Amino acid sequence: WYLAKALPKGLLFTILLVPLAFLRVAQRIAHRGSTRVRVLDFEGLPYFIPVLIFIGVYSILPHKEIRFIFVALPMFNVMAAKALTDIHQVARMVSTKGILSTAEKEKKNAESSFISIWIPQLLLLGGWCALGLSLVSSLVFVQVSRKNYPGGDSLGILANELNVSSSPVSVSNKQDDINESTPPIQIFIDVAAAMTGVSLFGQHALMNTAACKMRECVIFKDGYEDEHKYDNVLNSLRFEYILSEKDDFKGYKVKNTAKGHPIIDFKRQQVLTSDAIYVMKRESTEFAIKKPKSFG
C-alpha cells in the first residue's frame, strides 16, 4: 500500500526521478551505450536502504496511514535531487564540449549523435517538468485541503451560534451564583468532527464566547474506546449541542452545517464540497442537569 499509493501521493511527480538515482541512464546514453560506463549507481544505497526497511516494517502493520512514513519522504526527495543533479551534469557536459573526441564523432552517424546529445537534454527537461508539476499540484492540493477540516469549521460555527443565541437562563450578577444555579452547556463532538480540525485552539476560542463565560461549557469527545463511547447518553438529551457527521438525532435540530469532502471539478475549475459536520441544538430548553463527572 505504501509503495503503490502512499509514496506516489506524497512525492507526486518527483517519484519518477528516484529510480534514476540508481541507474546511470543519462551517462550510458551520453557515452553511446559504451560498456565502460556501468549502469548501476550504488552511491546512495547506504542512505536509502534503511528508509526502505523502515517502510517495510510499517507495511507489516495492519493499520496504514501516509503520515506514518512522513519521516521517510525527505530521503526520497534527496534521491530525486541526486538523480536530477547527475542528469544536469551530463546534459551540460554533452551540450558544451561533448564527451567523445572529434575523431570519434566523425565515425558516428547523425542519428547516434542526436541520441547521445539530445536524450540527456530531454531527460533534464523531463526532470524540471516533474518538479514544476509537483509544485503546481502541491499548490492545488493546499487549496483543496483548506476545505477538508469541517470539524474545525463546525466548532467556529458553534462559537458564533453561542455568541448570537444561547439557551435562556436566569443569570445572576455574580459568577459564583451562575455556576451554582445554572446548568453547564454540554457539547458533544463525535469522532468524525474530532478528527477533522477540532483543536485546542478552537476549543479555547469557544470557551471565550459570551455564553461560555456566563455558563460553563463542557466538551465531551466521542472515541473508539469503551470509556469514550456515549451512544446511550445521546438518546437521553443530556447534551445541549452536538457536532456530528449524522443529522438524525431525535430531539435535536440542525442549526448549521460545515462543508467538507472536497473534490476537484476540473470542468468547472472549482473545488466542490458537501455537508460533512452538522451543528445541532437540543430542541427542548427545559432539560437541565448539573455538570456530571462521568456518564458511567
Side-chain angles (χ1 to χ4, degrees), residues 221-264:
K221 293 182 181 179
D222 198 10
Y224 295 110
E225 303 85 358
D226 291 337
E227 61 269 22
H228 293 148
K229 286 188 175 294
Y230 299 98
D231 295 341
N232 296 330
V233 182
L234 287 172
N235 298 326
S236 63
L237 299 177
R238 287 180 178 269
F239 299 108
E240 190 165 341
Y241 289 94
I242 293 179
L243 307 183
S244 174
E245 63 180 339
K246 301 177 182 179
D247 63 345
D248 56 351
F249 292 100
K250 186 177 181 180
Y252 290 87
K253 180 180 180 181
V254 176
K255 300 293 292 184
N256 210 327
T257 57
K259 301 291 184 179
H261 311 304
I263 57 174
I264 302 176

Side-chain angles (χ1 to χ4, degrees), residues 122-182:
L122 293 176
L123 286 175
L124 180 61
L125 178 61
W128 282 112
C129 288
L131 288 180
L133 289 173
S134 296
L135 175 60
V136 173
S137 300
S138 297
L139 295 176
V140 172
F141 291 153
V142 166
Q143 294 301 316
V144 174
S145 65
R146 291 176 64 247
K147 302 179 182 295
N148 198 33
Y149 297 94
D153 294 338
S154 66
L155 205 61
I157 292 173
L158 177 58
N160 293 332
E161 168 69 20
L162 291 176
N163 278 327
V164 173
S165 61
S166 59
S167 297
V169 292
S170 299
V171 181
S172 173
N173 292 329
K174 295 182 179 180
Q175 188 65 37
D176 293 339
D177 294 338
I178 294 175
N179 290 335
E180 294 177 0
S181 60
T182 59

Side-chain angles (χ1 to χ4, degrees), residues 37 69 83 89 99 125 128 152 177 202 220-221 239 268-269 285 287:
V37 179
I69 62 167
Q89 291 176 347
I99 292 180
L125 178 61
W128 282 112
D177 294 338
F220 297 91
K221 293 182 181 179
F239 299 108
R268 301 180 183 177
Q269 297 182 354
T285 59
F287 187 85

